[in-house]
Amino acid sequence: MIVYEKLKMGLKVKIIRTLLFVLALIGIFCCTFYFLFEWQVIGKFQKDVDWLFWACVKILQVWGDWTGLGYNLLNILVFIILQPVLILIFFVLWR
């Protein structure tokens, strides 16, 4: 019985060591990939996201002025009321 327990414990230690080794390799690979290839792409992606955000803000400002509701109220109507309602409708229709 003692031999079985020692084998079982040894197997657990090997599994944990292997898992930690694999996680370390994945971390090293991801960091290397990020540092070698992604510096410029991330900067461009951030600029694109910023541009899209400010374009959407401008659209909501124009619609808010056009409807007389204002940017803040239109933002609440779209993202707090309309979006969740549409998600629920599509969820029900999906079933």
Side-chain angles (χ1 to χ4, degrees):
M1 195 62 141
I2 296 174
V3 175
Y4 174 73
E5 293 295 326
K6 285 183 180 180
L7 287 175
K8 188 175 167 184
M9 193 62 136
L11 183 62
K12 286 182 183 179
V13 170
K14 286 182 182 180
I15 290 173
I16 292 172
R17 282 183 186 165
T18 305
L19 182 62
L20 288 175
F21 181 73
V22 169
L23 288 175
L25 283 179
I26 290 172
I28 291 169
F29 175 75
C30 290
C31 289
T32 303
F33 183 76
Y34 175 78
F35 287 122
L36 290 178
F37 302 113
E38 294 295 318
W39 281 113
Q40 296 167 352
V41 174
I42 288 173
K44 182 170 178 358
F45 178 73
Q46 184 66 39
K47 288 179 185 176
D48 293 342
V49 170
D50 285 344
W51 177 86
L52 180 64
F53 171 78
W54 289 112
C56 292
V57 167
K58 186 65 177 169
I59 289 170
L60 282 175
Q61 287 173 341
V62 169
W63 287 355
D65 291 340
W66 183 64
T67 60
L69 297 174
Y71 168 78
N72 290 336
L73 183 57
L74 193 61
N75 200 2
I76 290 170
L77 288 174
V78 170
F79 293 108
I80 304 299
I81 297 172
L82 183 63
Q83 182 183 4
V85 168
L86 287 173
I87 289 170
L88 289 174
I89 288 172
F90 287 123
F91 178 74
V92 169
L93 289 175
W94 181 266
R95 301 176 116 221

